[in-house]
Every structure is written in C-alpha cells, then in structure tokens.
C-alpha cells in the first residue's frame, strides 16, 4: 500500500457535459525535484504518506510523471472578462487530477498548475516558472493563516526543464487544493457557448457542491446568486482588512466557492494608499486596492447576467431579480467591512460613527504615508510612544476620538486589546521579504523561504520565528512592482 491508495480520487465534474472539460494527462517532465511538500495540509486532508514517504515517490506523483490510482485528469473549459474584455479561456496549463474526499466528507479539487499544454493553451507553453509557483505557495498559505478563504498549496516540484519568460527560468509545477475551480467565468462560458440545459446542469452542480442547503429553496438559482454575492463581499472585505491586493480580478479569477484563487501579481500593501497598485500589467489601476470592491461588483454582475436564463421564464422578471440581488452587494460589503474594522480597532457594540472613525484612521495613514500592518500592530500592542509619527496633531486628534469610543465599550479595555490582537496580524508576507526568499530559492537556497513560511504560520502573535523579520518590515523599494511572468 502506498499513499496514492489513501488519496480518494473521484471526478464528479466529469459527469457534466463534455463541453465543460477535456480529458488530458499532464506532460511528463525530464528531471523533477521535490522543492516543498505541505505535510500538515496532507494530514488534514487525510492523505496518509506514512507508507511511502520516499521522496522519489512524492516527486514522481507531484510532477505528473506517475499519476495516482483512479486519476482521470481533465482540463476545465471556461471564459472570462480580462480587464473588461471577454475571452474564451480554459486551463491552459493546469490539470485537475481529481477530487479528494477528506475524512470529514468534504470534497477538494487537486490540481496541478504548470503541468503541460492542453487544448486551452492558446499560444502558451503550458508551463510555469519556479518563483511564481513558490510565490503562490507562500502567499496562499499566509492567507489561510490570516483566516481568509483561499485555495491551498500542497507541493511544488521543479521540472528540470527550462522555460522562456523574460529570460530562461526553471520550470515548476504547483499542486493546489481548492473547494472547486468553478469560476464566474465558467458560468459566462456556459451562458455564451452552451445550451440552457448545460447551464442549468452547471448551476445544479455548483449548488449541490457548494451550497447544498439551497437545493430546497423556492428559487435555488436566485439563492445561489445571493450566496455567491455574500461570500464575495465577505472575501473582498477580508482582503481589505489585511491590505491584500489581488492584482488580476478578472472574472476567470473569481471562484464561486468564495475562496481567493489564482495568485499572480498580488501583493500586500506596505505604505497605505487607496490607489496602491503593484501589478505591472495593471497600468490603469483597474484592480488597485481601493477599487477591489467595485471590481468584485462588476464581476458579480457578469455572474448575474449569466444566470438570468435560470432565474425566471419571464425575462423581465429574471432581470429584475438579478438586479435586486446585485443591489444587495453594497450593503453586504459595507457590513463585512465595518464589522472587521470594529474588530481591528477593538470596538464592541455598534455606533453609527464607527464608519467615520475607521475612515479617519485610513485618511491619516494615507496622508502620513505609514505602513498599514505596522500601524494597526502599534495600536493593538500600544506601541505609540517610540515613533514620532504618532506625535503629530492629526494623529492625536484621531487617537482621542478612538479613546473616547473605546471608553464607551461595555467591556473592559483588556477585552478590546485581545480582540485587536486576534484581528491585527503582527506579520504579513511583505513584498521585499517574499522577493528575497524567492530569489534565494531560484539560486537553489530554500532556507530563507522556509524561514519566512514558518514566520507566517502564526501571524497573530510575536514569536522568535517572526521577530527577525519585523525590524525590516519596510520595503526599501517604494516603486516595487509585481510582474506577470508566471
Ligand atoms: P492567469 O492570468 O494565470 O489567470 O491565466 C489566464 C489564462 O491564460 C488562463 O486560461 C491560463 O490557463 C492561461 N495561461 C497562463 N499562462 C499560460 C501558459 N504558460 N501556457 C498556457 N496557458 C497559460
Ligand atoms: Mg486565472
């Protein structure tokens, strides 16, 4: 017996019409090497490696050279609006190896990314480079530890093959775990390219898989749309709370499950600005920090459009239902945002002015050009005496409003501090730390990557693992950009 026997692979997605996917195997690679393997995640999924933890076996599996038992890999078809323009896409370099059923009965996609060409590759080589795959690994794992819904990373192997990007790079394959890979773009594809029965089958499948409690609703498709809207509003608010900028919020990069998906040129905010953009390809700032809420709204209207044929037989009625569901988004987002901000500021109960208080801090941060994570950390740990910036009149004014609000809490100050410490990370994957770890990894030294990964494992407490990174939390490069050379 080996671990692939404990890897319970099914493929319920392949029961949909064949137009939703193509059966295709990963392309074998020449000289794979296991770079990192997430044993903790494997254990939590109930994949037992104790029979066969031989590195060579893991390497062969995670490179796609030897497929686990019962695996019938497919690549999924989808479409998407990329920076506002509609395209037919699909997994151009990804293979869904199968769906694994965890011990608690939950179903997870196991997907390889960078595993070779597919019918959806267009002009792409089907491959991925090592640094971007490690980037997805570390940032998705950090997001998970920050309690933000996200796909997870199980392993990265290098392929021993060079690929052409801005220069020759080492190829790599990421194994990623997701509640599913059904995207807003999957519904756009079904609506635009397939017939009504196929669209309905996709919606029924997505509801049964992600929102089974809605199956008995009077109009399950409307309830589904509303549930996705709520989950996306919560997700975007949680990104904003930690200063995360996704960078490519195209409709093909938005998952129906409400998980963060497709980490490309994403980054964490350092110096706070609503206009912060890191991605070199986002030249108009479509997906800048302060536009993410709007971008998600735009994407959700594309989902609503795609579902219209299912909402009612009467077209006018269907459009009205879709519109009123979408109109709820702003409330959902504001609600999620302000409740998270209350926790970040240690506020119990609700006061209407809390919104102004939170906005006031952000405005001060933007004007004072201070680090986002560090400012909240200083508030949570009462570390305001050392830094001159907190002596400014503008800060003192805000601070006295905040103190007055804290004093109106019905619970003691101690409870506010512990609430804040549970909601303000000490550390996030700062860009320059990630870049340093990745360039060492490209040079063959994984130690900085492992050290940073460990530091990010418990982001809500000071520890010997993360304190070494906290002295250097400011990025020495204020013009830092992320590139899409994935
Ligand atoms: P992304 O920007 O990673 O979300 O990818 C957008 C689309 O391009 C998806 O359909 C990907 O599968 C496809 N794609 C990205 N990189 C490659 C590549 N190297 N080879 C083939 N397809 C790719
Ligand atoms: Mg994508």
């Amino acid at each position: 017996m080996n671990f692939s026997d404990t890897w319970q692979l099914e493929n319920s997605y392949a029961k949909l019409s064949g137009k939703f996917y193509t059966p295709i195997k990963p392309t074998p690679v020449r000289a794979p090497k296991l770079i990192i393997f997430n044993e903790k995640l494997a254990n939590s999924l109930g994949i037992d490696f104790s029979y066969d933890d031989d590195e060579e076996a893991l390497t062969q599996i995670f490179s796609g050279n030897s497929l686990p038992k019962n695996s019938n890999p497919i690549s999924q078809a989808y479409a998407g609006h990329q920076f506002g323009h509609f395209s037919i896409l699909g997994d151009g370099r990804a293979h869904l190896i199968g769906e694994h059923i965890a011990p608690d009965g939950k179903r997870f996609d196991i997907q390889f990314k960078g595993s070779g060409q597919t019918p959806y590759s267009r002009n792409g080589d089907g491959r991925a480079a090592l640094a971007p795959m490690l980037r997805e690994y570390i940032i998705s794992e950090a997001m998970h530890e920050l309690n933000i819904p996200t796909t997870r990373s199980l392993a990265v192997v290098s392929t021993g093959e060079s690929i052409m990007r801005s220069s020759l790079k080492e190829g790599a394959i990421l194994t990623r775990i997701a509640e599913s890979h059904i995207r807003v773009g999957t519904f756009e594809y079904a609506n635009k390219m397939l017939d009504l029965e196929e669209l309905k089958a996709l919606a029924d499948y997505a509801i049964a898989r992600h929102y089974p409690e809605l199956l008995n609703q009077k109009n399950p498709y409307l309830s589904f749309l509303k549930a996705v809207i709520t989950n996306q509003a919560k997700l975007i608010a949680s990104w904003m709370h930690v200063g995360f900028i996704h960078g490519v919020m195209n409709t093909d990069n938005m998952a129906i499950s409400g998980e963060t998906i497709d980490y490309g040129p994403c980054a964490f905010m350092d110096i706070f600005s609503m206009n912060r953009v890191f991605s070199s390809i986002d030249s108009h700032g479509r997906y800048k920090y302060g536009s993410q809420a709007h971008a998600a709204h735009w994407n959700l209207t594309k989902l609503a459009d795609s579902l219209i044929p299912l909402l009612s037989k009467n077209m006018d009625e269907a459009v009205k239902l879709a519109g009123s569901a979408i109109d709820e988004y702003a409330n959902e987002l504001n609600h999620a945002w302000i409740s998270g901000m209350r926790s970040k500021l240690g506020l119990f109960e609700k006061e209407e002015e809390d919104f102004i208080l939170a906005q006031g801090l952000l405005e001060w941060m933007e004007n004072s050009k201070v680090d986002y994570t560090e400012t909240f950390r200083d508030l949570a740990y009462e570390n305001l005496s050392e830094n001159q910036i907190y002596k400014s009149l503008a800060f003192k004014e805000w601070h006295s409003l905040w103190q007055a609000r804290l004093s109106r809490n019905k619970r003691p100050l101690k409870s506010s501090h512990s609430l804040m410490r549970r909601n303000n990370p000490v550390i996030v994957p700062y860009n320059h730390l990630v870049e340093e770890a990745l360039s060492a990894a490209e040079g063959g030294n994984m130690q900085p990557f492992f050290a940073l990964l460990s530091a990010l494992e418990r982001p809500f407490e000071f520890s010997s693992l993360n304190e070494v990174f906290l002295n250097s939390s400011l990025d020495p490069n204020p013009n830092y950009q992320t590139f899409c050379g994935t």
Side-chain angles (χ1 to χ4, degrees), residues 319-333:
V319 170
K320 224 160 65 200
L321 289 173
S324 61
I326 285 290
D327 286 346
E328 277 304 302
Y329 169 79
N331 282 337
E332 302 268 7
L333 182 87

Side-chain angles (χ1 to χ4, degrees), residues 78 82 89 93 113 176 183 248 250 252-253 261-262:
Y78 50 84
Q82 299 181 301
L89 302 163
R93 53 168 171 174
K113 180 167 173 181
R176 126 174 129 176
R183 304 147 192 270
V248 207
N250 295 333
D252 51 305
N253 294 336
I261 192 170
D262 276 3

Side-chain angles (χ1 to χ4, degrees), residues 406-425:
L406 284 175
S407 70
R408 294 195 295 276
N409 274 336
K410 295 207 174 75
R411 296 206 220 168
L413 199 55
K414 214 169 76 193
S415 308
S416 286
H417 286 144
S418 60
L419 179 65
M420 291 177 77
R421 290 168 193 186
R422 286 197 306 275
N423 287 281
N424 289 300

Side-chain angles (χ1 to χ4, degrees), residues 76 78-79 82-83 88-94 113-114 116-118 120-129 133 136 163-165 176 183 246 248 250 252-253 261-265 281 484 486:
Q76 292 175 319
Y78 50 84
Q82 299 181 301
F83 293 90
I88 300 294
L89 302 163
D91 290 331
R93 53 168 171 174
K113 180 167 173 181
Q117 284 177 319
T118 77
Y120 313 108
S121 297
R122 298 177 291 167
N123 297 320
D125 61 2
R127 292 299 182 193
M133 293 305 100
E136 172 154 349
I163 61 171
M164 194 58 197
R165 292 296 181 263
R176 126 174 129 176
R183 304 147 192 270
H246 182 285
V248 207
N250 295 333
D252 51 305
N253 294 336
I261 192 170
D262 276 3
Y263 291 85
I281 55 169
C484 220
T486 63

